[in-house]
Amino acid sequence: MTTRRRTAAALAAATAVTAVTVAVTLGTTTHHAPAAAASPAATGHRVILADAKERLPSGTARDWVSYGDHTVVAKVTAETADTPSAEEQASGEGYVSRTVTVSVQQTLWDRSGAPALPTTLTLTVDGWAFTGSVRTPLSTEGSRLEVGHTYLLTLARFASGEWAPIGGGARLPYDNNTVGNGEYEGTAVTPDSLMKIAASGANSTAADPGSGADASADTAPATVLDKVVGQGGTSVSALLTGTAPDPVAQQNFALDPVARLAAVVGTTAPQDTYCSLAAPFDRSAGSVLTRLEIGSLLQDLAGKATGSAVGYATTLAAYDNGDTTVTAVQAAAAQASLTADLNSVCGLNVSLDPTPAPSASPSPSASASPSASPSPTGGGNTPPHTTG
């Protein structure tokens, strides 16, 4: 069964170009055996699971035809591991981001008027945490997209010009022309075992609150996986061809998927950026942030980061949220690298150390409260200071 540790609260999600804001409430999975796929380095036996706050709904057939441009069968033919920062290499621990090359083998559905889809795509996907020579895969909900495996993907072109799956619910295993067979969350699944995982897991493939999607497990409609698991492409094509899009989304097909969803829910698409989300960390902002508040802010920041900064934000937020799979050394390296990146890219004077709580008289229940993780840089032992 999947084990996850979730934060008590999270700030409103930022709009991510590729539809997913990575929320770094991590756990490990032991529900199935490792998938047989090539890896550029030795991997550990675990897969680190990261919840995904998705900006687009991606679970149902209506979601796919409302926000997707094409549904395809695609095989991952190659992957590239980015180079960790100098600090991470020196410490021997950190995060390695990953890009994959995807070859489109078959198109099962096209949205009328959608932009043409290239036959070969390069996608940014989940990477690895590493300690020494051992890499542990990190996965958000859905398939990681690993070399040698085939997938059912619903892709869209976003305002930036990037192509990406619309969400975790639109990244399904499809080895041997069977929905639900192959790689999911970095491990091997069959249609039966995948449905057990889906039934036991949280509905994190729904969009953020305010997106118009109903994430209630009691009222949520059947997903694409529910309807076509164990079946082939003909069933997928028939399902999507026979599904009507949201009428407001249909009226706004000229917009990119995020702006289209904003029209559906009657709001203006958020304009948050990497630097605007980092503003609370600037010393001049005068913010007093606890460790959990910093972790929550970093969840949104990770969705707007690019390159290695995604891994830095992911690793540090996991540590700040109390995840014990991230060591203090890893967190310190991530904090140093992310601070340097924010200062350089955004022109800020960032502090990512939490402000220690002022000392107070012990309360009768104080002994029942768990102690916080130490600051990776020792900031928790310094005099109180203001951070942003």
Side-chain angles (χ1 to χ4, degrees):
M1 178 176 292
T2 300
T3 301
R4 297 176 189 272
R5 284 185 292 279
R6 304 179 187 278
T7 54
L11 302 181
T15 302
V17 170
T18 56
V20 176
T21 299
V22 176
V24 284
T25 50
L26 304 183
T28 59
T29 179
T30 56
H31 48 228
H32 31 68
S39 175
T43 60
H45 67 282
R46 298 175 296 110
V47 177
I48 299 174
L49 299 182
D51 286 338
K53 296 194 297 184
E54 302 206 333
R55 196 54 187 172
L56 293 174
S58 64
T60 69
R62 193 183 199 195
D63 296 336
W64 287 24
V65 301
S66 296
Y67 305 107
D69 290 329
H70 306 275
T71 296
V72 301
V73 175
K75 185 172 184 177
V76 180
T77 59
E79 69 181 8
T80 301
D82 294 335
T83 302
S85 69
E87 292 86 355
E88 288 174 313
Q89 293 184 62
S91 68
E93 296 183 298
Y95 176 82
V96 180
S97 58
R98 186 170 65 108
T99 58
V100 295
T101 301
V102 173
S103 175
V104 176
Q105 298 183 326
Q106 183 183 5
T107 299
L108 302 179
W109 171 83
D110 295 305
R111 179 176 64 78
S112 178
L117 179 71
T119 57
T120 302
L121 298 167
T122 300
L123 305 177
T124 301
V125 295
D126 300 326
W128 306 269
F130 76 91
T131 301
S133 62
V134 177
R135 292 179 177 174
T136 303
L138 181 146
S139 180
T140 54
E141 195 121 345
S143 294
R144 289 184 80 240
L145 305 189
E146 296 189 343
V147 173
H149 289 286
T150 303
Y151 299 92
L152 180 66
L153 304 176
T154 291
L155 300 159
R157 190 174 71 181
F158 290 80
S160 65
E162 268 188 276
W163 286 94
I166 62 172
R171 301 192 312 268
L172 299 179
Y174 194 70
D175 285 353
N176 301 319
N177 299 312
T178 303
V179 177
N181 190 58
E183 177 272 319
Y184 185 84
E185 293 183 346
T187 53
V189 294
T190 64
D192 287 343
S193 67
L194 179 54
M195 290 308 294
K196 291 178 182 178
I197 295 166
S200 64
N203 184 20
S204 61
T205 57
D208 285 332
S211 69
D214 184 356
S216 168
D218 294 331
T219 61
T223 65
V224 172
L225 181 62
D226 292 330
K227 293 186 174 183
V228 298
V229 66
Q231 301 178 49
T234 301
S235 297
V236 176
S237 295
L239 172 64
L240 298 180
T241 301
T243 300
D246 180 278
V248 178
Q250 188 172 24
Q251 293 169 9
N252 289 275
F253 276 159
L255 302 177
D256 96 296
V258 175
R260 194 181 311 154
L261 176 63
V264 170
V265 300
T267 61
T268 301
Q271 300 299 313
D272 287 330
T273 67
Y274 179 59
C275 293
S276 70
L277 291 172
F281 297 126
D282 190 65
R283 295 178 187 274
S284 65
S287 301
V288 178
L289 301 173
T290 66
R291 182 176 302 284
L292 286 178
E293 288 170 337
I294 290 176
S296 185
L297 285 167
L298 288 172
Q299 293 177 5
D300 294 340
L301 185 71
K304 285 295 184 179
T306 59
S308 296
V310 177
Y312 304 147
T314 299
T315 299
L316 184 56
Y319 183 84
D320 285 341
N321 287 324
D323 189 271
T324 57
T325 64
V326 179
T327 67
V329 175
Q330 288 176 310
Q335 179 171 326
S337 297
L338 183 61
T339 298
D341 190 70
L342 289 170
N343 289 345
S344 174
V345 172
C346 303
L348 301 176
N349 180 17
V350 164
S351 171
L352 297 176
D353 281 329
T355 297
S359 58
S361 300
S363 66
S365 61
S367 60
S369 301
S371 58
S373 301
S375 168
T377 60
N381 296 320
T382 59
H385 61 280
T386 300
T387 102

